[in-house]
Amino acid sequence: MRTSNEMAEAAFLAGSFATEPLVRRAAVLLAIADAVDARVDELVACAMTETGLEDARLRGEVRRTTVQLRLFADVVAEGGFLDVRIDERDEAFVLGVRPDLRRMRTPIGPVLNFAASNFPFAFSVVGGDTAAALAAGCSVIVKAHPGHPELSRLTAQIAIDAIARSGAPRDLLQLAEGREMSVELLRHPRIAAASFTGSLGGGRVLADIAAARPDPIPFYGELGSVNPVVVTQAAIAERRGQVVDGFVASISGSAGQLCTKPGFLFVPAGSDIAADVAAAFAALPEHRLLFPRLAEGFAARRQEILDVPDLEVAASGSIRFDEDGNGWARPALAVATLEELRAAGSVLMDECFGPLAIIVPYDDADVLAEDFVGLFEGNLTAGLHLAAGESAGWIERLVSVMSHHAGRVLFNGWPTGVAVTHAQQHGGPWPATTTGTTSVGTASIERFLRAVAYQDAPEEFLPAPLRDDNPWGVPQARSRAGESAHWGERAAAGS
Amino acid sequence: MRTSNEMAEAAFLAGSFATEPLVRRAAVLLAIADAVDARVDELVACAMTETGLEDARLRGEVRRTTVQLRLFADVVAEGGFLDVRIDERDEAFVLGVRPDLRRMRTPIGPVLNFAASNFPFAFSVVGGDTAAALAAGCSVIVKAHPGHPELSRLTAQIAIDAIARSGAPRDLLQLAEGREMSVELLRHPRIAAASFTGSLGGGRVLADIAAARPDPIPFYGELGSVNPVVVTQAAIAERRGQVVDGFVASISGSAGQLCTKPGFLFVPAGSDIAADVAAAFAALPEHRLLFPRLAEGFAARRQEILDVPDLEVAASGSIRFDEDGNGWARPALAVATLEELRAAGSVLMDECFGPLAIIVPYDDADVLAEDFVGLFEGNLTAGLHLAAGESAGWIERLVSVMSHHAGRVLFNGWPTGVAVTHAQQHGGPWPATTTGTTSVGTASIERFLRAVAYQDAPEEFLPAPLRDDNPWGVPQARSRAGESAHWGERAAAGS
């Protein structure tokens, strides 16, 4: 077993792979994806035992994970993420001689990635932040989540072997276990950034450690989200059944253990949606929760909510523990008015991670649009169900408020099932995430890059992407002499 | 006088201007630039009195400041900074139906910008961070530096009047004064990001306050840099006089009160450069330091360095205080070997802000290349003077080390006089800056943006840059149906 210091030094040394051509880096990402896909049966079997998640869900998650790796391979090979900017020397620049300046993004350095419990593939050893960091050219140390230790080791072994077979340093990826080890790494001078997906409590402790270092480092944490969804009267009238079914599926899938679970559904008062949802919840089978400690946490948080005085409990659901300590649950549903939410505050409104949701009947849509932001902290998502062609001033205001309040605003759909694409944004105002960056989709590569500029460098000392002969064929944005002066002069003329 | 709460609320409300067309935002930046240029005589006269800086330097700084505003106007009008990404709906996406997803960058929210003492224009009320934040669509509260209060008020008045005349909300820019007020603002829930240029001590206090908020916010601090420069034997042989003259000018300009002052010059042992520099220093007139408290700080730090036992003092320079408490200085020069630097540690190696430099003779270029990073913390810049066509293994290694160690690596030049361009990078590893972003040049707009995505939004609820009819004509990167599946499939086929 390596010490934290040995791991950090090994990660630093492996980082030199970033100077190799981008196509080699892309090949490493593809090699990991291929190796994981080839062992999918074994991986899913291991994950089922450790997490209680279902076969279909886990296979889908593996596919999503390897698609993300492949998308990043394309992004890396294309090279636009380097944001190469070349200012040619300009003797006639408006501020005097402008030197030759060439700027590109470069890896931030070794990354420490804390894996999540609820996505044993997509937010774990070779999940989003690992893929993004490797794509950026960083080496990665993953802190395994204790909820799925065997799966973490198996995935790491498969990925590291694939890295080695593709001719890259094995230490591009390392696995760390245990809290003490991870805190030592978080404080290690070689670690340049950290990422985390988990609870607000645990995440805040780690964020504070990162911020208190002699040299603070970026900490990309995803700490909790309640993902409110608003349904209009017209949407209910148009497709009541679809709304109920979609909400039930989004809450019960993966036993509600998703950061994008729609925890609050705002419906017009009198629509009686709660009764339909409660009936559907009661008909669901029990679902095992991820691991015993998480189940205990859910049981306590659920009870805290159901115990709120005078709260209408539409479905109490259930929670029981088996002989292995695993929790099995059916979803619970509460109903609270806007006034009750405000009065109860964080007891009702903080995230409840697991199968529980709150329906909020509203009388006055204008009041809802006004109150929405004050009620909640930042969220990953906010959603709206409208009828076809429906429009109103309050809806416009609500969409504007939601866009300030969340990272993704979605219409006529449910926030779970996050698409892995170029335009995805999975990150929002605190505490949804600690920064405005995304942890899903290819834009997440930006988390792990910093910029460096070269001034008047002889060609032979320039990194390949900044050279005039552009051997890797990356996009280069070039400001030519004269053009630059033109900008200044044109603007000075007010045109 | 407004309270901190009134200022923060006013900043929040003014932020709604960000939904106006980008050309209106660009017009505000041009209006500020025009208004400042029109009052340059008055502004420079005021700045001379308050800072002791010279007329030519201050006029150049005003020009640089308004050029930066004009460059940002172009960036804003062009719209590429929004990084618009559109994923069209794809029924055949590799992970199942891909929704219509549209992502853009959006203003992070009200920004608190702490002005610097040493650039009363370029890093002050309408300086780089203010320009970048306004360009991003944020409202800005500038904390005036107490070293130039009258100039800060005059500049703010000119800029705010220009904003109002261009039809935008006056409160897009506000001026705050006093430490207590600024700390209240830094803690205010409406403030979404802060920027700072100043000392490590003061900056760390503020960074810690930002990180300790219930909802931590990004803190973009520039906290200190010593900007080492290495000269090769061949460069000395080729242009000894130029190297000496350039170094002397770079140290003495603005009395060394620049974050890019080359504090350490590494020269081949025996080249006797120190004697030439010392002679040049002795012939310089006294230069007034920026303000009394800064002069006192420099006097103490200078004495601390000159008192290091056995340190070779090639030029002791001078410091005296006039009846107004202003300090007047001539540059000091010390000479220390690599071993002495290492032995003395932070006493010699931390930044000394003002007219003092240290020359470091080196015997073995290979040893220098090895030791370079271990000696210094992160820097804004690192430089290298080579002879024409000179190349060697140790130089290559040194350039690689410098690119990890600094934000800008420059050749055959001096780090002072930072070009305001698209490819500039003014930011490096801690403590040079708290993050890898830049505070000079147009890439600094990235400091003040976060991203938001819209999923399956009816056209009428989309912000203009995300609409298919693209009314503002911004660049849109589009993933079409089929293309996206192609990415996944192509990569899966290993091609």
Side-chain angles (χ1 to χ4, degrees):
Chain A
M1 288 286 287
R2 281 174 164 171
T3 64
S4 58
N5 191 54
E6 286 163 351
M7 293 188 79
E9 292 297 334
F12 175 75
L13 290 175
S16 67
F17 185 67
T19 60
E20 296 290 320
L22 291 172
V23 289
R24 289 203 59 201
R25 195 188 302 174
V28 169
L29 295 166
L30 292 183
I32 296 171
D34 288 343
V36 168
D37 277 342
R39 303 275 288 272
V40 60
D41 293 340
E42 190 183 346
L43 286 164
V44 165
C46 182
M48 284 179 74
T49 308
E50 288 195 314
T51 66
L53 294 170
E54 290 161 5
D55 182 84
R57 142 78 203 258
L58 288 166
R59 283 182 191 276
E61 190 184 332
V62 170
R63 185 113 179 95
R64 168 186 167 174
T65 305
T66 57
V67 162
Q68 175 126 319
L69 287 160
R70 293 178 205 287
L71 273 179
F72 270 121
D74 287 330
V75 168
V76 167
E78 193 264 341
F81 75 99
L82 297 173
D83 188 29
V84 170
R85 299 162 180 234
I86 297 179
D87 295 333
E88 293 182 359
R89 180 176 171 86
D90 188 352
E91 305 274 349
F93 190 56
V94 61
L95 297 176
V97 176
R98 182 180 73 181
D100 178 288
L101 269 170
R102 292 161 190 253
R103 181 185 195 266
M104 64 183 278
R105 289 179 176 158
T106 187
I108 195 169
V111 170
L112 176 62
N113 175 14
F114 290 82
S117 66
N118 61 335
F119 280 96
F121 296 106
F123 286 78
S124 190
V125 177
V126 294
D129 277 322
T130 296
L134 291 174
C138 302
S139 50
V140 182
I141 301 174
V142 177
K143 155 66 166 58
H145 194 280
H148 46 266
E150 286 303 329
L151 177 67
S152 300
R153 288 172 207 139
L154 178 60
T155 313
Q157 176 217 309
I158 291 169
I160 293 168
D161 285 351
I163 290 169
R165 275 200 310 277
S166 69
R170 294 181 71 83
D171 293 332
L172 274 187
L173 182 64
Q174 299 178 83
L175 190 71
E177 295 188 60
R179 186 182 153 74
E180 194 180 343
M181 169 69 102
S182 67
V183 171
E184 282 174 25
L185 285 167
L186 186 56
R187 293 191 170 124
H188 197 284
R190 289 289 194 205
I191 298 298
S195 59
F196 170 88
T197 307
S199 70
L200 178 55
R204 179 75 202 228
V205 168
L206 297 174
D208 288 346
I209 291 172
R213 288 168 50 120
D215 57 333
I217 57 171
F219 181 83
Y220 300 104
E222 183 183 320
L223 309 183
S225 183
V226 301
N227 310 296
V229 175
V230 174
V231 187
T232 66
Q233 184 71 59
I236 299 275
E238 185 180 276
R239 51 179 204 281
R240 177 191 185 93
Q242 268 182 50
V243 169
V244 169
D245 292 351
F247 181 63
V248 169
S250 194
I251 294 293
S252 59
S254 306
Q257 302 163 111
L258 299 174
C259 43
T260 51
K261 181 194 77 174
F264 291 85
L265 187 72
F266 292 80
V267 299
S271 62
D272 210 24
I273 293 287
D276 296 3
V277 172
F281 278 3
L284 289 169
E286 286 181 315
H287 193 302
R288 201 193 104 184
L289 300 180
L290 286 162
F291 57 102
R293 193 165 54 78
L294 184 141
E296 287 156 23
F298 170 71
R301 179 82 181 99
R302 169 184 174 278
Q303 202 56 52
E304 183 184 35
I305 290 171
L306 299 185
D307 285 350
V308 167
D310 302 324
L311 184 73
E312 181 187 338
V313 177
S316 60
S318 62
I319 172 91
R320 70 169 177 87
F321 288 84
D322 66 18
E323 60 276 15
D324 297 326
N326 280 312
W328 294 77
R330 275 193 195 85
L333 182 71
V335 179
T337 61
L338 282 168
E339 293 66 35
E340 284 170 333
L341 277 192
R342 216 189 328 261
S346 59
V347 173
L348 283 184
M349 295 174 54
D350 283 358
E351 186 182 30
C352 170
F353 194 77
L356 183 149
I358 298 178
I359 286 186
V360 188
Y362 64 87
D363 286 308
D364 185 327
D366 283 299
V367 170
L368 177 62
E370 286 301 315
D371 281 359
F372 192 79
V373 161
L375 284 177
F376 295 105
E377 296 188 285
N379 274 298
L380 291 169
T381 74
L384 200 52
H385 285 261
L386 307 175
E390 185 180 3
S391 180
W394 75 272
I395 297 177
E396 238 170 82
R397 288 199 301 284
L398 194 58
V399 171
S400 167
V401 164
M402 285 176 165
S403 73
H404 285 91
H405 173 82
R408 178 166 52 115
V409 182
L410 62 143
F411 293 75
N412 305 327
W414 302 97
T416 49
V418 183
V420 177
T421 72
H422 297 292
Q424 187 55 273
Q425 172 63 23
H426 190 70
W430 179 278
T433 49
T434 57
T435 72
T437 60
T438 182
S439 64
V440 177
T442 55
S444 62
I445 196 170
E446 294 174 8
R447 294 183 158 198
F448 304 112
L449 295 163
R450 65 178 187 94
V452 63
Y454 293 77
Q455 181 172 320
D456 289 330
E459 186 90 353
E460 63 191 294
F461 296 116
L462 283 172
L466 298 182
R467 277 161 42 190
D468 284 337
D469 64 348
N470 195 6
W472 298 354
V474 302
Q476 295 180 329
R478 195 173 275 266
S479 310
R480 297 186 192 280
E483 274 178 24
S484 53
H486 178 63
W487 282 327
E489 293 312 309
R490 176 165 55 81
S495 66
Chain B
M1 287 284 288
R2 282 174 164 171
T3 64
S4 58
N5 191 55
E6 286 163 351
M7 294 188 80
E9 293 296 336
F12 175 75
L13 290 175
S16 66
F17 185 67
T19 60
E20 297 289 321
L22 291 173
V23 288
R24 288 203 60 199
R25 195 189 301 174
V28 169
L29 295 166
L30 292 182
I32 297 172
D34 288 343
V36 168
D37 278 341
R39 302 276 288 271
V40 61
D41 293 340
E42 191 183 345
L43 287 164
V44 165
C46 181
M48 284 179 72
T49 309
E50 288 195 312
T51 67
L53 294 170
E54 290 163 6
D55 182 85
R57 142 76 205 261
L58 288 166
R59 282 181 190 276
E61 190 185 332
V62 170
R63 187 115 178 92
R64 167 185 167 177
T65 305
T66 57
V67 162
Q68 174 125 322
L69 286 161
R70 292 179 205 287
L71 274 178
F72 271 121
D74 287 330
V75 168
V76 168
E78 193 265 340
F81 74 99
L82 296 174
D83 189 29
V84 170
R85 299 161 180 234
I86 297 177
D87 294 335
E88 294 182 357
R89 179 177 171 85
D90 188 352
E91 305 275 347
F93 190 55
V94 61
L95 297 176
V97 176
R98 182 181 73 180
D100 178 287
L101 268 170
R102 293 161 190 252
R103 181 187 196 266
M104 63 182 280
R105 290 179 176 157
T106 189
I108 194 170
V111 170
L112 175 63
N113 175 15
F114 290 83
S117 65
N118 62 335
F119 280 97
F121 297 106
F123 286 79
S124 192
V125 178
V126 293
D129 278 322
T130 296
L134 291 175
C138 302
S139 51
V140 182
I141 301 174
V142 177
K143 155 65 167 60
H145 194 280
H148 46 267
E150 287 302 330
L151 178 66
S152 300
R153 288 171 208 142
L154 178 60
T155 314
Q157 178 217 308
I158 291 170
I160 292 168
D161 285 350
I163 290 169
R165 274 199 311 276
S166 68
R170 294 181 71 85
D171 293 332
L172 273 186
L173 182 64
Q174 298 178 83
L175 191 71
E177 295 189 61
R179 186 182 153 74
E180 195 180 340
M181 169 69 101
S182 66
V183 170
E184 282 173 25
L185 285 166
L186 186 56
R187 293 192 169 121
H188 196 283
R190 289 287 194 207
I191 298 297
S195 60
F196 170 89
T197 307
S199 71
L200 178 55
R204 180 74 202 229
V205 168
L206 296 174
D208 288 347
I209 291 172
R213 286 168 51 119
D215 56 333
I217 58 172
F219 181 84
Y220 299 105
E222 183 183 321
L223 308 184
S225 182
V226 301
N227 309 296
V229 175
V230 173
V231 187
T232 66
Q233 185 70 60
I236 298 275
E238 186 180 277
R239 50 178 204 282
R240 176 192 186 91
Q242 268 182 49
V243 169
V244 169
D245 292 349
F247 181 64
V248 168
S250 194
I251 294 294
S252 60
S254 306
Q257 301 163 114
L258 299 174
C259 43
T260 50
K261 181 193 78 176
F264 291 85
L265 188 71
F266 291 81
V267 299
S271 61
D272 211 23
I273 292 287
D276 296 2
V277 172
F281 278 2
L284 290 169
E286 286 180 315
H287 194 303
R288 201 193 104 183
L289 300 180
L290 287 163
F291 58 101
R293 194 164 53 79
L294 184 142
E296 287 157 22
F298 170 70
R301 179 82 182 99
R302 169 183 173 277
Q303 203 56 52
E304 182 185 35
I305 290 171
L306 299 185
D307 284 350
V308 167
D310 301 325
L311 184 74
E312 181 186 337
V313 177
S316 59
S318 62
I319 173 90
R320 71 169 176 88
F321 288 84
D322 64 20
E323 60 277 15
D324 297 325
N326 278 313
W328 294 78
R330 275 195 195 84
L333 183 71
V335 179
T337 62
L338 282 168
E339 294 67 34
E340 285 169 332
L341 278 193
R342 217 189 326 262
S346 60
V347 174
L348 283 184
M349 294 173 55
D350 282 358
E351 186 181 32
C352 170
F353 194 77
L356 182 150
I358 298 178
I359 286 184
V360 188
Y362 63 88
D363 287 308
D364 186 326
D366 282 301
V367 170
L368 176 63
E370 287 300 316
D371 282 359
F372 192 79
V373 161
L375 284 176
F376 295 105
E377 295 188 286
N379 274 299
L380 291 169
T381 74
L384 201 51
H385 284 261
L386 308 174
E390 184 179 5
S391 181
W394 74 272
I395 298 177
E396 238 170 81
R397 288 199 301 283
L398 194 57
V399 170
S400 167
V401 164
M402 285 176 166
S403 72
H404 285 91
H405 172 83
R408 178 165 54 115
V409 182
L410 62 144
F411 293 76
N412 305 326
W414 301 97
T416 49
V418 182
V420 176
T421 72
H422 297 291
Q424 187 55 273
Q425 172 63 24
H426 190 71
W430 179 278
T433 48
T434 56
T435 72
T437 60
T438 182
S439 64
V440 177
T442 55
S444 62
I445 198 171
E446 293 174 9
R447 293 183 159 198
F448 305 112
L449 296 163
R450 67 177 185 93
V452 63
Y454 293 77
Q455 180 174 320
D456 289 330
E459 186 91 352
E460 63 191 294
F461 296 115
L462 283 171
L466 298 183
R467 279 160 41 189
D468 284 337
D469 64 350
N470 195 5
W472 299 354
V474 302
Q476 295 180 328
R478 197 172 274 266
S479 309
R480 298 186 191 279
E483 273 179 25
S484 53
H486 178 62
W487 281 328
E489 294 312 309
R490 177 164 56 80
S495 64

